[in-house]
Amino acid sequence: MEELSIVVVNLNTKELTLDSLKSIFKEGSRVKKQVIVVDNGSSDGSVEAFRRLKKEGKIELIENSGNFGYAKANNQGIRRSKGKYVLLLNNDTIVKKGALGVLVDFAKKSPDAGVVGSKLVNLDQTLQASCYRFPTIGNAIKEYWFGEKGLFEKYAPKGKKPVEVDAVVGAVFLITPEARKRIGVLDERYFAYFEDIDYCRKTWRAGL
């Protein structure tokens, strides 16, 4: 059985997605992977390129007749997944060597985790903001009454050790078996954006 199912959604960004897939194939860890590409009705030659990868046995392909939205397309991939862990991966993400193995190993050692994210690095190797605080009334009071600025902006945790955060962005979004059991799939009422914060809030409410 595959340990990790990776879901990548594409819409008219063939080269970005192919580069991301190449990095997955060359990642090098021993994690047994299932790669699922969901195409949202592309017209730029993406589907033809993915069909070749499917024929080579490198990916599974779901072809949509139009743009079904980010959440729904990911859910199609989640429902097709066979892995113990499911990773939603943005198609403009290049996976570094061994990164998937590190991610899965951490999830295995963290049975109370609902969602696990990774450090994101820009092309110039600067750190990319990848976490959110929930938009709570308490945080609104702190920001607008007491002047604690930036509470509703993305941020990157300091240091090298794993930390608990309210929510991680959907670029690298590992859903654990316990989260999938308690929460299920993404809320498809979010066509694009905010589905990641919503899912993370639900994991907290479920005690993860």
Side-chain angles (χ1 to χ4, degrees):
M1 176 182 175
E2 289 85 352
E3 278 187 285
L4 181 66
S5 294
I6 304 169
V7 180
V8 180
V9 176
N10 177 77
L11 175 58
N12 289 325
T13 47
K14 180 176 74 170
E15 296 306 325
L16 278 178
T17 303
L18 289 175
D19 286 344
S20 184
L21 292 173
K22 288 175 186 175
S23 73
I24 294 171
F25 302 148
K26 296 178 180 179
E27 182 263 347
S29 69
R30 295 183 179 180
V31 175
K32 191 173 181 183
K33 299 179 282 288
Q34 173 195 25
V35 181
I36 304 166
V37 176
V38 186
D39 188 83
N40 261 342
S42 295
S43 57
D44 66 341
S46 292
V47 175
E48 290 76 12
F50 300 150
R51 285 173 180 167
R52 288 192 290 271
L53 291 176
K54 179 183 177 182
K55 192 173 182 180
E56 294 170 7
K58 292 182 176 180
I59 67 168
E60 295 184 29
L61 178 60
I62 298 173
E63 298 180 33
N64 290 331
S65 57
N67 185 2
F68 288 7
Y70 185 74
K72 184 171 183 177
N74 270 301
N75 285 345
Q76 289 177 295
I78 293 171
R79 293 187 177 104
R80 179 78 67 88
S81 66
K82 300 173 184 175
K84 183 177 181 180
Y85 300 92
V86 177
L87 177 64
L88 308 183
L89 187 72
N90 272 13
N91 68 326
D92 61 352
T93 304
I94 300 299
V95 180
K96 291 197 169 186
K97 295 285 186 182
L100 299 178
V102 172
L103 205 60
V104 170
D105 285 344
F106 178 79
K108 287 180 179 177
K109 296 172 184 175
S110 308
D112 60 340
V115 173
V116 182
S118 75
K119 182 179 288 187
L120 301 181
V121 180
N122 296 306
L123 288 174
D124 62 1
Q125 300 305 300
T126 57
L127 191 60
Q128 186 178 131
S130 60
C131 302
Y132 288 105
R133 298 175 183 88
F134 291 137
T136 62
I137 293 174
N139 281 340
I141 291 171
K142 288 178 184 177
E143 172 139 349
Y144 298 112
W145 285 13
F146 296 101
E148 291 186 34
K149 299 299 181 185
L151 293 181
F152 296 106
E153 297 175 3
K154 284 190 293 185
Y155 71 99
K158 296 179 181 179
K160 295 184 178 180
K161 293 184 178 180
V163 295
E164 288 186 16
V165 298
D166 285 353
V168 296
V169 299
V172 180
F173 200 84
L174 182 76
I175 299 173
T176 66
E178 196 62 29
R180 190 172 177 188
K181 181 172 73 175
R182 297 191 200 184
I183 292 90
V185 296
L186 304 176
D187 190 333
E188 295 181 8
R189 290 176 295 180
Y190 297 95
F191 186 82
Y193 304 109
F194 303 112
E195 74 290 324
D196 44 11
I197 298 177
D198 175 76
Y199 197 92
C200 287
R201 185 189 287 274
K202 288 174 181 174
T203 66
W204 279 106
R205 287 176 174 168
L208 298 173

